């Protein structure tokens, strides 16, 4: 993007002053190279978000931002219901509550390397991934509604994981305010065979080695030690969330004019929070959050079972579970006043700082763990929320590397088999049912995750705790 | 007579699907083929069984998104892939058929699931007797 479009606030903060129908400024956090290379569409989309009714303070974009649907991916925006604020299906996205969870294993990398091939095969068999894969669990109508209301708490009650896991999941593993009745029969049917499945695209399960620790005190509390192994799972609410996103996008696009909302882009489809359409969406979207939490909980159970066959002494413990496609009601201080706001994070991670009341006791002093996925060939990062984060973008940070190249272009540049061989040469085993899917997800098709994380760290969105690198990657 | 066909177009994170035809119906059917091609090669999908699809929307662009989303729904819930499409449009109503078969991973080698059709780069238009129908799909 052209730097002349911005007022540079500091080395990592780029501001667009309100113009035209913008109600608030737009702010992008990035270093100079990232913002130069950022898609022009981010500028258009973040300024469009700034025109929506009831938006508070500013529309934000994270360092990994790229062209999304209405909102940029990597977008954050807060709305006040009492000021006519809106909730937007596009502002949450199709994969509602897509997120990452990381488990510490206590195992040394050498122990994994000694059995790397066998473990990769066992995980590929244990974790349903890719088009047409189905989970081992079928829910009847009553079970489906219980899952949608209960989230990971439901999953634990059904025998997937332990009660100790729940404190280490946002919302204690259960999103309140979910209304399963607002979830259509179509959405429920689409989920029927998909509980405990990984999906495809950029979703993955990775066995990773801790390579470097930046914040020893936080790392120790998170259970991260250099040379030890963690497992990270990236996926979301599967077909149910996709269907809810699809249905409410249309419903809100058609309803917006009824509410007197002028949409600069149909994809910004939204409805007032205090309206029947807004409330219906919130009820359904929260049910989808529970679906994602339950799904990741089931995948955790499958992962533990696969590990126990090889390492019976290991007890993989949940470090934390974050969702990066959500709209959540949170209290934030704005101009010296505490306000209840609806925070949309589309491809952005919540990053509450130390002492925040919603953090579990164990992380009260460190701040919220912030889990940032890289690509199958590059490092991922674990960060923590900072005190400064609240003043930046309502305690939000980036969510991943962010794509730099289209799937189409990636497919022209790389071959799946060749990538798998190259990565195997570097000690990274990729297991995927689709060679083309691997090519589309080539590490070179993404931004430099280290630059994204460094920008987030320097901008005060979150602070670096540790860096991990993949040993095994299961892709859909 | 305008030649029917389909292609993909650039979107940084996802994929654009575009169909052409002599009629809006033909363009919609071609866009559906472009959608299939995001997932797998349409040439290896045998059109064994038909699935009836019906949708309504107040304008042609929303109708295109509905049509594609209805196909995505049928693919997901029936674990099928489709390679032949028929479309009839009367006002706000679309009645169509998608012909295909159950997914066989070894034979179809599906690359990626499609989550939904979006309003991004959404366009249905006619120029010089050639219809175009396109949007970006989220994968």
């Amino acid at each position: 993007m052209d730097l002349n479009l911005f007022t540079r606030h500091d080395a990592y903060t780029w501001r667009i002053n309100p113009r035209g129908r913008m109600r608030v400024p737009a702010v992008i956090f990035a270093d100079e190279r990232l913002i130069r290379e950022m898609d022009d569409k981010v500028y258009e989309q973040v300024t469009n978000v700034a025109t929506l009714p009831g938006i508070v303070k500013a529309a934000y974009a994270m360092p990994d931002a790229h062209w999304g649907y209405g909102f940029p991916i990597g977008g954050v925006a807060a709305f006040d219901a009492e000021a006519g604020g809106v909730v937007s299906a596009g502002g949450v996205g199709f994969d509602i509550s897509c997120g990452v969870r990381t488990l510490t294993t206590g195992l040394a990398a050498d122990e994994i390397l000694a059995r790397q091939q066998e473990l990769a095969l066992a995980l590929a068999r244990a974790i349903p991934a890719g088009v047409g894969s189905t989970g081992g669990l079928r829910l009847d109508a009553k079970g489906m509604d219980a899952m949608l209301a209960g989230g990971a708490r439901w999953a634990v009650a059904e025998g997937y994981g332990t009660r100790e896991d729940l404190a280490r999941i946002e919302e204690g593993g259960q999103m309140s305010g979910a209304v399963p009745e607002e979830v259509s029969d179509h959405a429920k049917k689409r989920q029927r065979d998909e509980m405990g499945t990984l999906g495809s695209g950029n979703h993955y399960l990775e066995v990773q080695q801790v390579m470097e620790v930046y914040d020893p005190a936080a790392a120790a509390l998170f259970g991260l030690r250099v040379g030890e192994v963690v497992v990270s799972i990236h996926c979301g609410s599967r077909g149910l969330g996709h269907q809810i996103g699809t249905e409410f996008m249309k419903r809100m696009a058609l309803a917006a004019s009824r509410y007197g909302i002028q949409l600069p882009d149909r994809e910004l489809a939204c409805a007032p929070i205090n309206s029947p359409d807004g409330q219906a969406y919130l009820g359904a979207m929260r049910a989808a959050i529970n679906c994602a939490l339950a799904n990741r909980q089931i995948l955790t159970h499958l992962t533990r079972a696969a590990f126990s066959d090889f390492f019976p002494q290991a007890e993989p413990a949940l470090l934390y579970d974050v969702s990066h496609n959500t709209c959540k009601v949170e209290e934030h201080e704005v101009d010296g006043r505490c306000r209840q706001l609806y925070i949309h994070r589309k491809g952005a991670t919540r990053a509450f700082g130390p002492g925040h009341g919603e953090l579990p006791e164990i992380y009260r002093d460190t701040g919220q763990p912030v889990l940032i996925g890289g690509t199958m060939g590059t490092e991922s990062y674990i960060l923590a929320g900072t005190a400064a984060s609240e003043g930046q973008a309502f305690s939000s940070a980036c969510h991943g590397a962010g794509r730099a190249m289209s799937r189409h272009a990636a497919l022209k540049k790389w071959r799946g088999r060749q990538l798998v061989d190259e990565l195997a040469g570097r000690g990274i085993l990729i297991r995927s049912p689709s060679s083309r899917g691997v090519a589309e997800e080539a590490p070179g098709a993404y931004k430099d995750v280290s630059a994204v994380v460094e920008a987030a760290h320097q901008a005060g969105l979150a602070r670096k705790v540790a860096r991990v690198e993949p040993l095994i990657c299961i892709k859909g | 007579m305008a030649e029917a066909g389909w292609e993909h177009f650039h979107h940084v994170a996802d994929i654009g699907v575009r169909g052409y035809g002599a009629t809006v119906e033909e363009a919609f059917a071609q866009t559906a083929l472009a959608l299939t091609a995001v997932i797998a090669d349409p040439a290896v999908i045998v059109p064994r069984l038909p699935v009836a699809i019906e949708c309504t929307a107040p304008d042609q662009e929303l109708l295109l998104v509905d049509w594609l989303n209805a196909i995505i729904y049928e693919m997901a819930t029936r674990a099928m892939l489709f390679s032949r499409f028929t479309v009839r449009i009367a006002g706000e109503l679309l009645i169509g058929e998608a012909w295909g078969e159950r997914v066989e991973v070894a034979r179809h080698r599906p690359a990626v699931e499609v989550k939904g059709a979006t309003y991004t780069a959404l366009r249905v238009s006619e120029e010089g007797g050639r219809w175009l129908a396109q949007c970006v799909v989220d994968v």
Side-chain angles (χ1 to χ4, degrees):
Chain A
M1 288 198 284
D2 179 359
L3 300 188
N4 293 318
L5 293 167
F6 302 92
T7 306
R8 189 171 192 168
H9 182 70
D10 58 38
Y12 295 91
T13 311
W14 307 78
R15 189 182 152 100
I16 306 159
N17 293 317
R19 52 164 181 74
R21 292 177 49 228
M22 286 170 70
R23 297 165 194 259
V24 292
V27 176
I28 303 179
F29 298 100
D31 66 20
E32 192 168 321
R33 198 189 101 203
L34 285 168
I35 204 150
R36 272 189 200 282
E37 291 173 0
M38 209 173 265
D39 197 334
D40 288 339
K41 284 281 179 185
V42 174
Y43 180 90
E44 184 185 319
Q45 293 191 321
V46 76
T47 53
N48 278 344
V49 172
T51 70
L52 292 175
I55 187 165
V56 175
K57 218 167 148 187
Y60 299 98
M62 300 290 113
D64 51 340
H66 57 86
W67 183 15
Y69 303 103
F71 277 58
I73 312 292
V76 176
F79 297 87
D80 185 343
E82 303 312 314
V86 294
V87 59
S88 168
V92 172
F94 284 91
D95 197 356
I96 297 168
S97 198
C98 182
V100 183
R101 65 166 50 189
T102 295
L103 310 165
T104 56
T105 67
L107 293 165
D110 287 348
E111 294 177 82
I112 299 289
L113 290 171
R115 309 192 70 178
Q116 193 181 9
Q117 293 279 359
E118 299 161 83
L119 182 62
L121 183 64
L123 286 168
R125 283 188 179 146
I127 305 294
V131 178
S133 63
T134 55
L137 175 68
R138 299 284 177 283
L139 294 176
D140 61 15
K142 205 173 146 199
M144 179 69 73
D145 284 359
M147 181 275 289
L148 293 174
R153 201 165 282 275
W154 166 87
V156 168
E158 293 289 313
Y160 301 100
T162 66
R163 292 193 60 77
E164 289 69 41
D165 294 338
L166 297 173
R168 292 165 180 245
I169 302 172
E170 287 180 337
E171 323 303 332
Q174 181 182 28
M175 187 73 219
S176 61
V179 184
E181 296 75 24
E182 294 290 0
V183 178
S184 71
D185 290 342
H186 267 50
K188 290 174 182 173
K189 190 174 169 191
R190 205 166 153 182
Q191 191 60 23
R192 195 183 49 193
D193 297 330
E194 295 196 355
M195 288 310 297
T197 61
L198 193 62
S200 64
N202 62 0
H203 294 160
Y204 61 77
L205 180 147
E206 275 191 2
V207 179
Q208 302 159 324
Q209 179 179 358
V210 181
M211 302 304 289
E212 194 174 0
V213 159
Y214 308 99
D215 181 334
L221 212 87
F222 289 180
L224 298 169
R225 284 173 285 274
V226 171
E228 285 192 357
V229 167
V230 300
V231 179
S232 293
I233 301 169
H234 175 218
C235 69
S237 50
R238 310 292 300 113
L240 182 127
H242 308 165
Q243 192 65 26
I244 291 171
T246 295
E247 291 169 4
F248 275 94
M249 194 79 91
K250 181 182 181 188
R251 180 166 163 181
M252 287 177 168
L254 294 175
S257 61
R258 251 197 347 262
Y259 295 118
I261 300 170
Q262 270 185 290
L263 294 177
D265 172 357
R266 201 145 45 170
E267 206 88 57
L268 279 171
C270 59
I273 294 160
N274 290 332
S275 72
D277 293 297
Q279 289 299 309
Y281 176 68
L282 285 167
M285 187 265 302
R286 289 165 180 157
I289 290 178
N290 281 331
C291 180
L293 298 181
N295 196 46
R296 289 197 287 272
Q297 190 65 32
I298 294 170
L299 290 170
T300 298
H301 175 77
L302 298 176
T303 304
R304 285 172 172 155
F307 264 75
S308 73
D309 288 343
F310 293 88
F311 309 104
Q313 81 286 8
E315 289 178 7
L318 186 54
L319 192 168
Y320 208 54
D321 179 298
V322 299
S323 296
H324 47 231
N325 288 351
T326 59
C327 173
K328 290 186 176 175
V329 183
E330 297 169 10
E331 286 186 350
H332 292 276
E333 198 177 297
V334 181
D335 299 329
R337 189 160 67 89
C338 183
R339 290 166 74 176
Q340 193 180 63
L341 301 173
Y342 289 70
I343 311 291
H344 292 64
R345 294 188 182 90
K346 171 72 193 93
T349 311
R350 188 155 83 177
F352 284 146
H356 195 285
E358 287 198 33
L359 289 178
E361 195 59 42
I362 35 170
Y363 299 136
R364 218 34 89 68
D365 293 338
T366 57
Q368 172 176 336
V370 176
L371 310 173
I372 307 299
T375 73
M376 63 179 116
T378 56
E379 54 273 34
S380 292
Y381 286 86
I382 295 162
L383 293 82
T386 65
S389 181
E390 175 63 15
Q392 297 292 62
F394 299 107
S395 292
S396 309
C398 53
H399 84 307
R403 279 195 87 94
M405 187 188 287
S406 72
R407 293 175 179 279
H408 201 52
L411 212 49
K412 282 187 177 162
K413 199 163 175 184
W414 292 286
R415 290 280 167 273
R417 187 67 248 169
Q418 178 197 349
L419 276 172
V420 169
D421 291 344
E422 266 176 36
L423 291 167
R426 288 170 43 202
I428 304 166
L429 299 186
I430 309 295
R431 294 292 176 266
S432 170
S434 169
S435 166
R436 180 177 143 192
V438 170
E440 291 182 4
E441 286 292 317
Y446 282 83
K447 296 180 196 196
D448 175 0
V449 68
S450 295
V452 166
V453 164
E454 190 60 31
H457 177 88
Q458 295 293 344
L461 301 173
R463 70 183 193 283
K464 292 194 291 183
V465 174
R467 175 169 61 86
V468 299
E469 289 185 4
L471 297 172
I472 296 170
C473 177
I474 310 297
K475 295 285 285 184
Chain B
M1 194 71 174
E3 207 176 306
W6 62 264
E7 63 189 4
H8 291 152
F9 64 92
H10 169 83
H11 179 275
V12 71
D14 297 302
I15 302 180
V17 293
R18 179 182 289 147
Y20 301 101
T23 62
V24 66
E25 285 89 349
E26 200 170 57
F28 272 41
Q30 289 293 324
T31 312
L33 264 180
L35 169 69
T36 295
V38 169
I39 305 158
D41 179 0
V44 300
I45 301 163
V46 182
R48 293 181 208 278
L49 294 169
V51 173
I53 290 175
E54 198 175 303
C55 36
T56 54
D59 65 56
Q60 283 184 327
E61 290 185 344
L62 287 178
L63 196 57
L64 174 69
V65 173
D66 269 17
W67 159 241
L68 298 177
N69 277 325
I71 295 166
I72 291 165
Y73 175 79
E74 297 298 342
M75 285 195 287
T77 54
R78 295 173 189 270
M80 285 180 76
L81 291 169
F82 303 107
S83 59
R84 200 170 85 206
F85 302 92
T86 61
V87 178
R88 280 187 296 132
I89 297 174
E92 296 186 356
L93 175 68
L94 180 153
I95 295 174
E97 272 183 348
W99 289 73
E101 61 179 336
R102 275 190 76 84
V103 178
E104 279 179 43
V105 173
R107 184 160 56 86
H108 296 129
R109 310 193 67 77
V112 71
E113 290 174 327
V114 177
K115 294 172 188 165
T118 78
Y119 301 149
T120 296
L122 173 59
R123 198 171 130 205
V124 177
S125 60
E126 185 261 347
E127 203 174 306
R130 192 185 204 205
W131 281 87
L132 173 153
Q134 68 168 47
C135 72
V136 168
V137 296
D138 190 2
V139 298

